[in-house]
Amino acid sequence: MDRFEYADPRPVQSEEFLMRENGVKLYDGDNKTTFEGGEAVVSNTRILWGRPGDIPRGQTCICLPLFYVVFIEEEQRTFSFSSARKFVLHLSEPRQGKAQGPVTWSQYNFVKLSFKEGLHHDFMAILQNALVMRAWEKLQLGPTPATGSQSMADRKWRSGIVGIERKIEEKHKATDESISLAFQDLSRLMNMAKDMVAISRSISTKIREKQGDITEDETVRFKSYLLSLGIDDPVTRGAFSNQNQYFQSLSRQLAQILEEPIKEVGGMMSMADVYCRVNRARGLELLSPEDLMSACRLMSTLQLGLCLRTFDSGATVLQLSDHNDSIIVENTAASLEEHGSLSATELAKVLGISVLLAKERLLTTEKQGKACRDESLEGVRFYSNLFLTREE
């Protein structure tokens, strides 16, 4: 809440109001505030909140400049009789010279907006579009002019078909400028990444403080945020004079970022999953399948703790160098004994792995004599080998 400022709700310069909702409640992080049951107005530069009737009358209200908003998400609803929808706005650090607001300091880097009376507009889509347009960079927001003549001069009154066409044309022009700017200036993307890192640290602190209060869904969502941050300095071909140095450096970097995820999924990961994880983390510096395979083949030679493995079926996976098939066979046999019988799809659901890896686990277990198969019209099912486990 320390990013909110006291402000005049009247539009300044080329500010445009995009939507208005009633019955809006503000949260400082997870804490409730006294700002409830008010009216919220979203413009292309800020979010205004005021008591019912204050904004239309031009009375002082509070506002959140959109340049503070890093990203927005809708909070997952739990079982409740309330129909209110909540949106979480993650914010960057307060700027120097910020105007006075209702709160001088807050421990949270996010606020929540609760719409008790439901939504008549697509709040998330409208706000995300405003964040993409970044209209505040083209405007120099300041206090509203004191005299009525200056205020009238700053406003552009438009009416009729000509005004509508002019407004559409200006929006198209602004969109084209934003797209051009996005491709020309990537430094802003890096600034956004810094804000994301700060947010990830605050979330990790919250997880440590509330160890038992964080649900599995929230943990999965947090991991997806961290994965979206990507690699700080991805290895690229242009940075090396020869291919050997490039593939060796790439192999070391891949081993560094893939070792922990492969351990989490049981010591083995399909190359399709490896390819998706690596390129998602690299962002704009995408890696070709050929370069990925070449780098993975070097891992065993460089003793990086990972190595490629090709099964009899032709499927190729990346696994830990100390991976032991006997442990996999014992675990798979135990799953078969617990469930009676399993198909590859069912085992994948039980272990949380891909169907390809589940099928190879079952085939390896069968090859070791710990399982047997039954082929029918319904497909292939695997059973425990009772000839080894039971004596008649």
Side-chain angles (χ1 to χ4, degrees), residues 19 21-27 35 37-38 40 49 72-78 80-89 111-128:
M19 62 169 287
E21 295 289 347
N22 296 318
V24 181
K25 182 177 182 179
L26 302 181
Y27 287 77
F35 301 99
W49 188 95
I72 177 177
E73 62 177 337
E74 183 170 3
E75 186 175 79
Q76 298 296 326
R77 298 191 197 183
T78 55
S80 173
F81 295 102
S82 174
S83 60
R85 296 177 62 183
K86 293 181 181 178
F87 293 88
V88 183
L89 277 62
V111 295
K112 295 182 184 179
L113 275 69
S114 174
F115 296 86
K116 186 176 181 181
E117 299 180 5
L119 279 169
H120 300 90
H121 304 83
D122 192 345
F123 174 75
M124 180 174 289
I126 292 175
L127 187 55
Q128 286 178 338

Coordinates of all heavy atoms in Angstrom, one line a residue, residues 19 21-27 35 37-38 40 49 72-78 80-89 111-128:
M19 N -12.1 1.6 -17.5 CA -13.2 0.9 -16.9 C -13.4 1.4 -15.5 O -12.6 2.1 -14.9 CB -12.8 -0.6 -16.8 CG -11.6 -0.9 -16.0 SD -11.4 -2.7 -15.6 CE -12.7 -3.0 -14.4
E21 N -15.5 0.1 -11.7 CA -16.2 -1.0 -11.0 C -16.5 -0.5 -9.6 O -15.8 0.4 -9.0 CB -15.3 -2.2 -10.9 CG -15.0 -2.9 -12.2 CD -16.3 -3.6 -12.8 OE1 -17.3 -3.8 -12.0 OE2 -16.2 -4.0 -14.0
N22 N -17.6 -0.9 -9.0 CA -18.0 -0.6 -7.7 C -17.8 -1.7 -6.7 O -17.6 -2.9 -7.1 CB -19.5 -0.2 -7.7 CG -19.8 1.1 -8.5 OD1 -19.0 2.0 -8.4 ND2 -20.9 1.0 -9.3
G23 N -17.9 -1.4 -5.4 CA -17.7 -2.5 -4.4 C -16.3 -3.1 -4.4 O -16.2 -4.3 -4.2
V24 N -15.3 -2.2 -4.5 CA -13.9 -2.7 -4.6 C -13.2 -2.5 -3.2 O -13.3 -1.5 -2.6 CB -13.1 -2.0 -5.7 CG1 -11.7 -2.5 -5.7 CG2 -13.8 -2.1 -7.0
K25 N -12.5 -3.6 -2.8 CA -11.8 -3.6 -1.5 C -10.3 -3.7 -1.7 O -9.9 -4.5 -2.6 CB -12.3 -4.7 -0.6 CG -11.7 -4.7 0.8 CD -12.3 -5.8 1.7 CE -11.7 -5.9 3.1 NZ -12.4 -6.9 3.9
L26 N -9.5 -3.0 -1.0 CA -8.1 -3.1 -1.2 C -7.4 -3.8 0.0 O -7.9 -3.7 1.2 CB -7.5 -1.6 -1.2 CG -8.0 -0.7 -2.3 CD1 -7.3 0.6 -2.2 CD2 -7.8 -1.3 -3.7
Y27 N -6.4 -4.6 -0.3 CA -5.6 -5.4 0.7 C -4.2 -4.9 0.6 O -3.6 -4.8 -0.5 CB -5.7 -6.9 0.4 CG -7.0 -7.6 0.7 CD1 -8.1 -7.4 -0.1 CD2 -7.2 -8.3 1.9 CE1 -9.3 -8.0 0.2 CE2 -8.4 -8.9 2.2 CZ -9.4 -8.8 1.3 OH -10.6 -9.4 1.6
F35 N -10.0 0.4 3.4 CA -10.4 0.9 2.0 C -11.3 -0.2 1.4 O -10.8 -1.1 0.7 CB -9.2 1.2 1.1 CG -8.3 2.2 1.7 CD1 -7.1 1.8 2.4 CD2 -8.6 3.5 1.6 CE1 -6.3 2.8 2.9 CE2 -7.7 4.5 2.1 CZ -6.6 4.1 2.7
G37 N -15.5 -1.3 -0.1 CA -16.8 -0.8 -0.6 C -16.6 0.5 -1.5 O -17.6 1.2 -1.6
G38 N -15.5 0.7 -2.0 CA -15.3 1.9 -2.8 C -15.4 1.7 -4.3 O -15.8 0.6 -4.8
A40 N -13.5 1.9 -8.1 CA -12.2 1.8 -8.7 C -12.3 2.2 -10.2 O -13.2 1.7 -10.8 CB -11.6 0.4 -8.5
W49 N -8.9 4.9 -6.7 CA -9.8 4.3 -5.7 C -10.4 5.4 -4.9 O -9.6 6.2 -4.3 CB -9.2 3.2 -4.9 CG -10.2 2.5 -4.0 CD1 -10.8 1.3 -4.3 CD2 -10.7 2.9 -2.7 NE1 -11.6 0.9 -3.3 CE2 -11.6 1.9 -2.3 CE3 -10.4 4.0 -1.9 CZ2 -12.3 2.0 -1.1 CZ3 -11.1 4.1 -0.7 CH2 -12.0 3.1 -0.3
I72 N 0.3 -9.2 -13.0 CA -1.0 -9.3 -12.3 C -1.4 -10.8 -12.5 O -1.2 -11.4 -13.5 CB -2.0 -8.4 -12.9 CG1 -3.4 -8.6 -12.3 CG2 -2.1 -8.4 -14.4 CD1 -4.5 -7.6 -12.7
E73 N -2.1 -11.3 -11.5 CA -2.6 -12.6 -11.5 C -3.9 -12.7 -10.7 O -4.1 -11.8 -9.8 CB -1.7 -13.7 -11.0 CG -1.3 -13.4 -9.5 CD -0.4 -14.5 -9.0 OE1 -0.4 -15.6 -9.5 OE2 0.3 -14.2 -8.0
E74 N -4.8 -13.6 -11.1 CA -6.0 -13.7 -10.3 C -5.8 -14.8 -9.2 O -5.3 -15.9 -9.5 CB -7.2 -14.2 -11.2 CG -8.5 -14.3 -10.5 CD -9.7 -14.5 -11.4 OE1 -9.5 -14.6 -12.6 OE2 -10.9 -14.5 -10.9
E75 N -6.2 -14.5 -8.0 CA -6.1 -15.4 -6.9 C -7.0 -16.5 -7.0 O -8.2 -16.3 -7.3 CB -6.3 -14.6 -5.6 CG -6.0 -15.5 -4.3 CD -6.1 -14.7 -3.1 OE1 -7.2 -14.4 -2.6 OE2 -5.1 -14.2 -2.5
Q76 N -6.5 -17.7 -6.8 CA -7.4 -18.9 -6.9 C -8.4 -18.9 -5.8 O -8.1 -18.7 -4.6 CB -6.5 -20.2 -6.8 CG -5.5 -20.3 -7.9 CD -6.1 -20.5 -9.3 OE1 -7.2 -21.1 -9.4 NE2 -5.5 -19.9 -10.3
R77 N -9.6 -19.2 -6.2 CA -10.7 -19.2 -5.2 C -10.7 -20.5 -4.4 O -10.5 -21.6 -4.9 CB -12.1 -19.1 -5.9 CG -12.3 -17.8 -6.6 CD -13.7 -17.7 -7.0 NE -13.9 -16.7 -8.1 CZ -15.1 -16.4 -8.6 NH1 -16.2 -16.9 -8.1 NH2 -15.2 -15.5 -9.5
T78 N -10.9 -20.4 -3.1 CA -11.1 -21.5 -2.2 C -12.6 -21.7 -2.0 O -13.4 -20.9 -2.4 CB -10.4 -21.4 -0.9 OG1 -10.8 -20.1 -0.3 CG2 -8.8 -21.3 -1.1
S80 N -15.8 -21.2 -0.7 CA -16.4 -20.1 0.0 C -17.7 -19.7 -0.6 O -18.0 -19.9 -1.8 CB -15.4 -18.8 -0.1 OG -16.0 -17.7 0.5
F81 N -18.6 -19.1 0.3 CA -19.9 -18.7 -0.2 C -19.8 -17.3 -0.9 O -20.7 -16.8 -1.4 CB -20.8 -18.6 1.0 CG -21.2 -20.0 1.6 CD1 -20.6 -20.4 2.7 CD2 -22.0 -20.8 0.9 CE1 -20.8 -21.6 3.3 CE2 -22.3 -22.1 1.4 CZ -21.7 -22.5 2.6
S82 N -18.6 -16.6 -0.8 CA -18.4 -15.3 -1.4 C -18.2 -15.5 -2.9 O -17.5 -16.4 -3.3 CB -17.3 -14.6 -0.7 OG -17.0 -13.4 -1.4
S83 N -18.8 -14.5 -3.7 CA -18.6 -14.5 -5.1 C -17.5 -13.5 -5.5 O -17.3 -13.3 -6.7 CB -19.9 -14.2 -5.8 OG -20.4 -13.0 -5.4
A84 N -16.8 -12.9 -4.5 CA -15.8 -11.9 -4.9 C -14.6 -12.5 -5.6 O -14.2 -13.6 -5.3 CB -15.3 -11.2 -3.6
R85 N -14.1 -11.8 -6.6 CA -12.9 -12.2 -7.3 C -11.8 -11.3 -6.9 O -12.0 -10.0 -6.8 CB -13.2 -12.0 -8.8 CG -14.2 -13.0 -9.3 CD -14.5 -12.8 -10.8 NE -13.3 -13.1 -11.6 CZ -13.2 -12.9 -12.9 NH1 -14.3 -12.5 -13.6 NH2 -12.1 -13.2 -13.6
K86 N -10.6 -11.9 -6.6 CA -9.5 -11.1 -6.1 C -8.4 -11.2 -7.2 O -8.1 -12.2 -7.7 CB -9.0 -11.7 -4.8 CG -10.0 -11.4 -3.6 CD -9.4 -12.0 -2.3 CE -10.4 -11.8 -1.2 NZ -9.8 -12.3 0.1
F87 N -7.7 -10.0 -7.4 CA -6.6 -10.0 -8.3 C -5.4 -9.5 -7.5 O -5.5 -8.5 -6.7 CB -6.9 -9.0 -9.4 CG -7.9 -9.5 -10.4 CD1 -9.3 -9.3 -10.1 CD2 -7.6 -10.3 -11.5 CE1 -10.3 -9.7 -10.9 CE2 -8.6 -10.8 -12.3 CZ -9.9 -10.5 -12.0
V88 N -4.2 -10.1 -7.7 CA -3.0 -9.8 -7.0 C -2.1 -9.0 -8.0 O -1.8 -9.4 -9.1 CB -2.2 -11.0 -6.6 CG1 -1.0 -10.7 -5.8 CG2 -3.1 -11.9 -5.7
L89 N -1.7 -7.8 -7.5 CA -0.8 -6.9 -8.3 C 0.6 -6.9 -7.6 O 0.7 -6.4 -6.5 CB -1.4 -5.5 -8.4 CG -2.4 -5.2 -9.5 CD1 -3.7 -6.0 -9.3 CD2 -2.8 -3.7 -9.4
V111 N -0.3 -5.9 -3.7 CA -1.6 -5.5 -3.1 C -2.7 -6.4 -3.8 O -2.4 -7.0 -4.9 CB -1.9 -4.0 -3.4 CG1 -0.9 -3.2 -2.6 CG2 -1.9 -3.7 -4.9
K112 N -3.8 -6.4 -3.2 CA -4.9 -7.2 -3.8 C -6.1 -6.3 -4.0 O -6.4 -5.4 -3.1 CB -5.3 -8.4 -2.9 CG -4.3 -9.4 -2.7 CD -4.8 -10.6 -1.8 CE -3.7 -11.6 -1.6 NZ -4.2 -12.7 -0.7
L113 N -6.9 -6.5 -5.0 CA -8.1 -5.8 -5.3 C -9.2 -6.9 -5.3 O -9.2 -7.8 -6.1 CB -8.1 -5.1 -6.6 CG -7.5 -3.7 -6.6 CD1 -6.0 -3.7 -6.4 CD2 -7.8 -3.0 -8.0
S114 N -10.2 -6.7 -4.4 CA -11.3 -7.6 -4.3 C -12.6 -7.0 -4.8 O -13.0 -5.9 -4.4 CB -11.5 -8.1 -2.8 OG -12.7 -8.9 -2.7
F115 N -13.2 -7.6 -5.8 CA -14.4 -7.1 -6.4 C -15.6 -7.9 -5.9 O -16.0 -9.0 -6.4 CB -14.3 -7.2 -8.0 CG -13.2 -6.4 -8.6 CD1 -11.9 -6.9 -8.7 CD2 -13.5 -5.2 -9.1 CE1 -10.9 -6.2 -9.2 CE2 -12.5 -4.4 -9.6 CZ -11.2 -4.9 -9.7
K116 N -16.2 -7.3 -4.8 CA -17.2 -8.0 -4.1 C -18.5 -8.1 -4.9 O -19.2 -9.1 -4.8 CB -17.5 -7.3 -2.8 CG -18.5 -8.0 -1.9 CD -18.7 -7.2 -0.6 CE -19.7 -8.0 0.3 NZ -19.9 -7.2 1.6
E117 N -18.8 -7.1 -5.8 CA -20.0 -7.1 -6.6 C -19.8 -7.7 -7.9 O -20.6 -7.6 -8.8 CB -20.5 -5.7 -6.7 CG -20.9 -5.0 -5.4 CD -21.4 -3.6 -5.5 OE1 -21.5 -3.2 -6.7 OE2 -21.6 -2.9 -4.5
G118 N -18.7 -8.5 -8.1 CA -18.4 -9.1 -9.4 C -17.8 -8.1 -10.4 O -17.6 -6.9 -10.0
L119 N -17.6 -8.5 -11.6 CA -16.9 -7.7 -12.6 C -17.8 -7.5 -13.8 O -18.4 -8.5 -14.3 CB -15.6 -8.3 -13.0 CG -14.4 -8.1 -12.1 CD1 -13.2 -9.0 -12.5 CD2 -14.0 -6.6 -12.1
H120 N -17.9 -6.3 -14.3 CA -18.7 -6.0 -15.5 C -17.7 -5.9 -16.7 O -18.2 -5.8 -17.8 CB -19.5 -4.8 -15.4 CG -20.5 -4.9 -14.3 ND1 -20.3 -4.5 -13.0 CD2 -21.8 -5.3 -14.2 CE1 -21.3 -4.6 -12.2 NE2 -22.3 -5.2 -12.9
H121 N -16.4 -5.9 -16.4 CA -15.4 -5.7 -17.5 C -14.3 -6.8 -17.2 O -14.2 -7.3 -16.2 CB -14.8 -4.3 -17.5 CG -15.8 -3.2 -17.7 ND1 -16.4 -2.7 -16.6 CD2 -16.2 -2.5 -18.8 CE1 -17.2 -1.7 -17.0 NE2 -17.1 -1.6 -18.3
D122 N -13.6 -7.1 -18.3 CA -12.4 -8.0 -18.1 C -11.3 -7.2 -17.5 O -10.4 -6.7 -18.2 CB -12.1 -8.6 -19.5 CG -11.1 -9.7 -19.4 OD1 -10.5 -9.9 -18.3 OD2 -10.9 -10.5 -20.4
F123 N -11.2 -7.2 -16.2 CA -10.2 -6.3 -15.5 C -8.8 -6.7 -15.9 O -8.0 -5.9 -16.2 CB -10.4 -6.5 -14.0 CG -9.4 -5.8 -13.2 CD1 -9.4 -4.4 -13.0 CD2 -8.4 -6.6 -12.5 CE1 -8.4 -3.8 -12.2 CE2 -7.5 -5.9 -11.7 CZ -7.5 -4.6 -11.6
M124 N -8.5 -8.0 -15.9 CA -7.1 -8.5 -16.1 C -6.7 -8.1 -17.5 O -5.6 -7.6 -17.7 CB -7.0 -10.0 -15.9 CG -5.6 -10.5 -16.1 SD -5.4 -12.3 -15.7 CE -5.4 -12.2 -13.9
A125 N -7.6 -8.4 -18.5 CA -7.2 -8.1 -19.9 C -7.0 -6.6 -20.1 O -6.0 -6.2 -20.8 CB -8.3 -8.6 -20.9
I126 N -7.8 -5.8 -19.6 CA -7.7 -4.3 -19.7 C -6.4 -3.8 -19.1 O -5.7 -3.0 -19.6 CB -9.0 -3.6 -19.1 CG1 -10.2 -3.9 -20.0 CG2 -8.8 -2.1 -19.0 CD1 -11.5 -3.4 -19.4
L127 N -6.2 -4.3 -17.9 CA -5.0 -3.8 -17.1 C -3.7 -4.3 -17.8 O -2.7 -3.6 -18.0 CB -5.0 -4.3 -15.7 CG -3.9 -3.8 -14.8 CD1 -3.9 -2.3 -14.8 CD2 -4.1 -4.3 -13.4
Q128 N -3.7 -5.6 -18.3 CA -2.5 -6.1 -19.0 C -2.2 -5.3 -20.3 O -1.1 -5.0 -20.6 CB -2.7 -7.6 -19.3 CG -2.5 -8.4 -18.0 CD -2.7 -9.9 -18.3 OE1 -3.4 -10.3 -19.3 NE2 -2.2 -10.8 -17.5

